[in-house]
Amino acid sequence: MFGSSEDLDRMIGESERAIRRLHEAASELHAITGEGEDGHVRATVDHTGRVVRVALDPRAMRQESHELADSVTRAVQLAQDDAVARELALVTDALGPDEVLGSLQEQLDRAQDAFTRALDAHATAMDRLGRS
């Protein structure tokens, strides 16, 4: 399976370095902040995109309620988008783009297979109903 013990050692070393880089990079994802367009609203999310804090500058309270709601929504969306982009960049840097793309392709293939099986099962069930 492996060419030599040196190849195996090299692969283990690369894997350990990738894991170490992922752990180091994970600290960057604990608090990601997005800011509303006017700068009066800041939203902070964690690496999952869950909102952990919303901060309002006193000037934000002078806005109409719908404007404030839009600012909060926009700040949260920007923080969430940034979290996703940073996580993908960190994983790609640690594992390499080919590894990430390969994993995504595998997930897509599995999802497509599951969808095809479900669609076939549904068609079979519809055929049976039509014959009844």
Side-chain angles (χ1 to χ4, degrees):
M1 182 166 158
F2 297 107
S4 67
S5 63
E6 290 85 21
D7 290 340
L8 180 58
D9 288 342
R10 181 183 50 75
M11 290 175 61
I12 291 171
E14 288 173 3
S15 296
E16 288 172 345
R17 283 189 294 281
I19 290 170
R20 201 171 24 259
R21 285 191 306 266
L22 282 173
H23 283 290
E24 291 168 359
S27 65
E28 294 179 33
L29 298 175
H30 287 291
I32 299 158
T33 301
E35 191 172 292
E37 292 175 8
D38 58 10
H40 302 312
V41 177
R42 297 175 78 101
T44 303
V45 300
D46 65 12
H47 70 284
T48 66
R50 182 175 181 173
V51 178
V52 294
R53 184 168 193 269
V54 174
L56 302 176
D57 182 285
R59 293 172 289 186
M61 302 311 290
R62 296 185 194 132
Q63 297 179 15
E64 295 289 327
S65 62
H66 69 279
E67 292 171 333
L68 180 57
D70 289 345
S71 292
V72 170
T73 300
R74 184 69 181 139
V76 168
Q77 290 171 339
L78 288 171
Q80 289 171 328
D81 290 349
D82 194 24
V84 169
R86 284 189 193 187
E87 187 169 12
L88 181 60
L90 291 170
V91 170
T92 302
D93 286 347
L95 300 178
D98 293 337
E99 185 79 23
V100 172
L101 290 176
S103 175
L104 291 174
Q105 184 63 51
E106 287 175 22
Q107 291 176 25
L108 180 60
D109 290 344
R110 283 194 303 270
Q112 186 175 11
D113 289 344
F115 177 75
T116 301
R117 284 191 305 274
L119 192 58
D120 289 345
H122 181 68
T124 300
M126 292 302 288
D127 273 352
R128 287 183 187 150
L129 285 173
R131 291 185 208 151
S132 301

